[in-house]
Amino acid sequence: MALLTLIARSTDGMPLSSSIESDEQSGKNLTEYQSQAKAIFRKLSPQSPPRCSIESPPLVFHYIIESDICYLALCEPSYSPRLAFSYLRSLHEAFSQQHGHEVHKAQRPYHFIEFGTEVERLKKAHSDNQSRGQLGRLADELQGVQRIMIDNIDAALNRGELISDLADKTRTLAVESKLYAKEAKYLNLRTSLAAKAAVVVVFVLFLIFLRFWLF
């Protein structure tokens, strides 16, 4: 299950609600992960991938962005990504229903802290043991999970990159790959034409030589 859950506006990174396991419950010091989560929020942009997993060993962040709100969960690597994104989707549905019309009015951090009660309920509903039977039903809804962007926390934060750079890099690599393929095809064509031209030149010189030699 999620050790840390945070909901924030993706437009300015302001936290709206949260739920966190105590260090005793989780067996881990989550203070550093809270700081990393807030740093992720600050680096979001309109071009950020709508679904992303960011590895921060030994744990992993999963997030989705819906209607300018980012729902983020910190999980054990053994926790099913399918369950994690199902949990985040449920958070979005519940939060939108209860507070969606108020989000733009929030002026202070954790304005909807009382939503933490609902977070705990949904977290329990998506625990490993209680949710395994739901995976089949969720398969169609979560077909896009395999296309989630994955990165490392150091790459995402320490290099000072925006989360949107992850998507930009993917697009850039695809474009560069196409350009390389076109250039390779063009070079092959030039090489082939050059070889044929060399044969023609040799043949013409041979004919000229025969003409002057025989006649």
Side-chain angles (χ1 to χ4, degrees), residues 54-80:
I54 302 176
E55 297 172 346
S56 182
L59 304 176
V60 58
F61 290 102
H62 302 289
Y63 80 68
I64 65 171
I65 300 175
E66 295 284 353
S67 304
D68 294 329
I69 302 175
C70 182
Y71 303 85
L72 178 145
L74 176 69
C75 305
E76 297 276 0
S78 58
Y79 186 68
S80 166

Side-chain angles (χ1 to χ4, degrees), residues 52 54 104:
C52 188
I54 302 176
H104 68 284

Side-chain angles (χ1 to χ4, degrees), residues 18-208:
S18 70
S19 173
I20 181 171
E21 297 288 313
S22 67
D23 292 348
E24 290 77 15
Q25 289 175 306
S26 65
K28 295 177 175 62
N29 185 348
L30 300 179
T31 303
E32 177 62 25
Y33 287 100
Q34 286 180 281
S35 298
Q36 290 178 359
K38 293 175 182 178
I40 289 171
F41 290 146
R42 289 193 296 269
K43 291 182 179 292
L44 293 175
S45 78
Q47 289 73 44
S48 297
R51 293 179 178 179
C52 188
S53 294
I54 302 176
E55 297 172 346
S56 182
L59 304 176
V60 58
F61 290 102
H62 302 289
Y63 80 68
I64 65 171
I65 300 175
E66 295 284 353
S67 304
D68 294 329
I69 302 175
C70 182
Y71 303 85
L72 178 145
L74 176 69
C75 305
E76 297 276 0
S78 58
Y79 186 68
S80 166
R82 184 175 288 183
L83 280 177
F85 283 96
S86 172
Y87 166 61
L88 294 173
R89 186 70 186 175
S90 296
L91 281 177
H92 159 63
E93 293 171 354
F95 188 81
S96 296
Q97 184 177 8
Q98 295 184 30
H99 303 295
H101 61 289
E102 306 173 82
V103 169
H104 68 284
K105 301 177 182 178
Q107 299 295 322
R108 56 182 174 81
Y110 303 103
H111 186 82
F112 307 105
I113 193 64
E114 72 279 359
F115 187 73
T117 303
E118 181 68 9
V119 173
E120 289 298 321
R121 185 188 70 80
L122 292 172
K123 187 191 303 183
K124 184 177 180 181
H126 288 78
S127 65
D128 281 315
N129 292 333
Q130 296 191 28
S131 298
R132 291 188 188 279
Q134 302 176 15
L135 292 180
R137 179 178 57 82
L138 294 170
D140 292 336
E141 177 185 350
L142 299 173
Q143 283 181 352
V145 168
Q146 67 271 19
R147 293 160 49 186
I148 292 165
M149 195 73 66
I150 300 176
D151 198 44
N152 181 274
I153 191 68
D154 291 331
L157 301 182
N158 292 351
R159 290 200 304 266
E161 296 176 342
L162 288 172
I163 299 299
S164 60
D165 289 347
L166 302 178
D168 292 341
K169 286 178 180 178
T170 301
R171 288 190 291 268
T172 300
L173 286 173
V175 172
E176 290 178 349
S177 177
K178 291 180 180 179
L179 289 175
Y180 177 80
K182 289 182 179 179
E183 290 178 359
K185 185 176 180 179
Y186 175 68
L187 289 174
N188 288 336
L189 179 61
R190 286 188 59 183
T191 301
S192 177
L193 291 176
K196 292 178 180 178
V199 172
V200 171
V201 170
V202 171
F203 182 71
V204 170
L205 291 174
F206 179 71
L207 290 179
I208 294 174

